């Protein structure tokens, strides 16, 4: 049995999508970001920092999205270039890039959505992180002008952007990054992505777009 520990709309969407692309059978246990359950002893035993996702597989639990993605692709022998392939380094770079961008999105989610009261928010930090997000979006936009996917063909590196491709354009205008926006549309149209969303992809966002506050 494969069991994904998941929060809808969170980083664990990446692993959920990859499981569907690989055609694996799996179970989902849903958790909440706000009820304290991720700090429970049961969850900490699987993910020591109390972070989603965790994946129970092959008699153990694996934490951290990048580790899970690499483990699954090596286990199945698909959706990742093997060692010795010229694109292996690119694959590893884009997995790490997705996590870098995801960390910026996490900071923006905290400021825009989770931090209460609103007076506790830091407008300078929100502006800074929005600019940092724009830098990562421009890098993707430049890369995707000449490529439909991150590598020469679809891979698990694309799945690592599974959370990001919905979240980025909650804070940035898609019109400013047309190649990245077109990539998002291609990825979200994939049948496996749509199956993943049906199983556990409810968004955490209450708005289509989050404006920067004045200040």
């Amino acid at each position: 049995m494969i069991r994904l520990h998941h929060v809808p709309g969170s980083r664990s969407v990446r692993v959920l999508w990859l499981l569907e692309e690989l055609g694996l059978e799996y179970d989902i246990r849903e958790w909440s970001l706000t009820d304290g359950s991720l700090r429970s002893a049961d969850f900490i035993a699987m993910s020591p920092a109390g972070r989603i996702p965790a994946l129970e597989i092959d008699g153990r639990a694996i934490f951290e999205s990048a580790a899970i993605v690499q483990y699954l692709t090596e286990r199945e022998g698909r959706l990742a270039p093997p060692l010795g392939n010229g694109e292996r380094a690119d694959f590893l770079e884009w997995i790490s890039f997705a996590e870098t961008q995801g960390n910026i999105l996490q900071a923006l989610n905290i400021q825009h959505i989770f931090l209460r009261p609103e007076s506790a928010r830091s407008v300078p930090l929100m502006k800074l992180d929005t600019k940092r997000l724009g830098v990562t979006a421009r890098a993707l936009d430049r890369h995707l002008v000449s490529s439909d996917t991150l590598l020469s063909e679809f891979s698990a590196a694309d799945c690592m952007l599974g959370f990001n491709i919905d979240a980025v354009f909650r804070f940035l205008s898609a019109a400013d990054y047309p190649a990245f926006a077109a990539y998002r549309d291609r990825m979200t149209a994939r049948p496996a992505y749509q199956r993943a969303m049906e199983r556990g992809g409810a968004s955490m966002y209450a708005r289509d777009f989050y404006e920067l506050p004045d200040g």
Side-chain angles (χ1 to χ4, degrees), residues 68-82:
I68 294 169
V69 165
Q70 288 180 249
Y71 184 86
L72 284 172
T73 57
E74 291 171 9
R75 179 184 190 265
E76 299 300 313
R78 289 183 285 147
L79 294 184

Side-chain angles (χ1 to χ4, degrees), residues 80-134:
L83 191 64
N85 183 291
E87 287 193 302
R88 179 64 180 182
D90 301 307
F91 173 75
L92 297 174
E93 284 178 338
W94 286 118
I95 284 179
S96 295
F97 183 94
E99 189 69 356
T100 294
Q101 189 180 66
N103 287 334
I104 300 170
L105 288 164
Q106 182 182 50
L108 286 168
N109 288 339
I110 290 170
Q111 292 282 347
H112 280 277
I113 300 170
F114 295 109
L115 201 59
R116 293 290 183 272
E118 290 189 9
S119 59
R121 297 173 180 172
S122 169
V123 175
L125 278 178
M126 295 168 84
K127 290 181 176 180
L128 176 61
D129 283 329
T130 302
K131 288 181 180 179
R132 293 174 64 219
L133 183 63

Side-chain angles (χ1 to χ4, degrees), residues 12-28:
S12 51
V13 163
R14 304 155 161 177
V15 179
L16 179 60
W17 180 13
L18 179 56
L19 289 167
E20 287 292 341
E21 291 283 357
L22 290 169
L24 299 176
E25 294 187 7
Y26 62 95
D27 182 35
I28 294 176

Side-chain angles (χ1 to χ4, degrees), residues 15-201:
V15 179
L16 179 60
W17 180 13
L18 179 56
L19 289 167
E20 287 292 341
E21 291 283 357
L22 290 169
L24 299 176
E25 294 187 7
Y26 62 95
D27 182 35
I28 294 176
R29 179 173 176 184
E30 289 192 3
W31 298 76
S32 169
L33 293 176
T34 57
D35 66 1
S37 59
L38 295 180
R39 295 189 297 275
S40 68
D42 285 348
F43 190 74
I44 293 296
M46 293 183 292
S47 180
R51 285 163 48 94
I52 286 291
L55 188 73
E56 291 183 78
I57 186 170
D58 298 337
R60 60 160 297 164
I62 307 174
F63 59 94
E64 295 295 341
S65 298
I68 294 169
V69 165
Q70 288 180 249
Y71 184 86
L72 284 172
T73 57
E74 291 171 9
R75 179 184 190 265
E76 299 300 313
R78 289 183 285 147
L79 294 184
L83 191 64
N85 183 291
E87 287 193 302
R88 179 64 180 182
D90 301 307
F91 173 75
L92 297 174
E93 284 178 338
W94 286 118
I95 284 179
S96 295
F97 183 94
E99 189 69 356
T100 294
Q101 189 180 66
N103 287 334
I104 300 170
L105 288 164
Q106 182 182 50
L108 286 168
N109 288 339
I110 290 170
Q111 292 282 347
H112 280 277
I113 300 170
F114 295 109
L115 201 59
R116 293 290 183 272
E118 290 189 9
S119 59
R121 297 173 180 172
S122 169
V123 175
L125 278 178
M126 295 168 84
K127 290 181 176 180
L128 176 61
D129 283 329
T130 302
K131 288 181 180 179
R132 293 174 64 219
L133 183 63
V135 170
T136 65
R138 279 193 296 276
L140 282 163
D141 198 64
R142 288 192 300 268
H143 179 72
L144 292 163
V145 164
S146 57
S147 178
D148 287 342
T149 52
L150 292 175
L151 304 183
S152 60
E153 59 185 33
F154 180 86
S155 74
D158 297 293
C159 293
M160 272 293 289
L161 284 172
F163 164 64
N164 304 17
I165 58 176
D166 173 55
V168 164
F169 297 116
R170 306 289 179 166
F171 306 109
L172 300 176
S173 171
D176 293 333
Y177 311 94
F180 186 21
Y183 167 85
R184 173 203 56 187
D185 294 341
R186 289 192 297 274
M187 294 301 102
T188 57
R190 291 182 68 86
Y193 182 92
Q194 295 181 1
R195 290 194 302 271
M197 295 307 101
E198 289 170 5
R199 284 204 64 175

